[in-house]
Amino acid sequence: SEERDLTVEFTENYYTSEMTVIVRKDSPLANIDNIQDLSGYKVGSQLGTLTDSIIDQIEGVTHVTPYDTFNTAALAVSSQTIDAMTAEYPVAKAICKANSDLTIVTFAPENGFSGLDENELGVAVAVKEGNSELQTQINEALSELSLDDRRGLMDGALDRAPSEE
């Protein structure tokens, strides 16, 4: 946010996420390959998030009242109150790790959510404002990591995260 940008400085993005959909494993939606395949279904997400605002890109969707948390939205999918929820990939992976009845659906760029830029999906390290030396050191270390390395590190961190299941 602009307010946070006044108190910290950010490194280059170390990870760029993607928007996904979470559905029940036993749902016919588990095999979709286009967000428009969600037309006519009930889809939700967390209140006040980018993941909630993108739902309206799905023509004919029933955009349900947003949930207070991602976990509450996931419970709604598990209990079949809604058919699907939107989430960024790391959030989706953590939710599915904690809820074995759920799965992640990803989309090719041309079939997924549009109009999102790297700033909206990027993840960076925040350093204390004025600590340009540390910011530079982190950016230099990040520049040595390939995109595959970065994805592997994120997946590894998500795999090691404790599960609530």
Side-chain angles (χ1 to χ4, degrees):
S1 68
E2 289 181 21
E3 296 82 25
R4 193 161 79 180
D5 199 33
L6 296 175
T7 60
V8 297
E9 296 182 37
F10 292 97
T11 65
E12 298 296 321
N13 289 340
Y14 66 83
Y15 182 79
T16 302
S17 189
E18 65 181 300
M19 291 296 178
T20 68
V21 171
I22 299 171
V23 299
R24 289 179 54 88
K25 285 181 179 176
D26 60 0
S27 168
L29 296 174
N31 296 313
I32 64 172
D33 62 3
N34 190 308
I35 63 168
Q36 299 309 326
D37 294 335
L38 292 161
S39 180
Y41 288 95
K42 294 185 281 185
V43 179
S45 195
Q46 181 174 308
L47 178 68
T49 62
L50 178 62
T51 57
D52 183 58
S53 67
I54 63 170
I55 294 171
D56 293 329
Q57 291 185 23
I58 305 164
E59 296 174 20
V61 72
T62 300
H63 186 165
V64 301
T65 302
Y67 294 89
D68 289 339
T69 67
F70 282 112
N71 288 337
T72 307
L75 181 60
V77 176
S78 287
S79 66
Q80 300 179 333
T81 303
I82 62 175
D83 302 296
M85 67 175 282
T86 53
E88 288 185 55
Y89 178 77
V91 172
K93 186 157 177 138
I95 286 172
C96 291
K97 182 177 180 182
N99 298 276
S100 60
D101 61 326
L102 301 180
T103 191
I104 304 170
V105 179
T106 60
F107 306 97
E110 64 274 11
N111 294 332
F113 297 99
S114 62
L116 305 170
D117 65 33
E118 188 172 318
N119 287 331
E120 293 173 304
L121 297 174
V123 183
V125 177
V127 298
K128 184 177 179 181
E129 186 176 7
N131 195 342
S132 58
E133 182 179 345
L134 179 58
Q135 182 184 29
T136 299
Q137 290 172 341
I138 294 170
N139 282 335
E140 287 172 358
L142 291 173
S143 72
E144 296 177 16
L145 296 173
S146 71
L147 183 59
D148 286 341
D149 289 339
R150 293 170 189 226
R151 286 186 180 144
L153 289 168
M154 179 62 81
D155 282 342
L158 293 169
D159 288 341
R160 289 186 302 276
S163 172
E164 293 182 24
E165 187 170 70

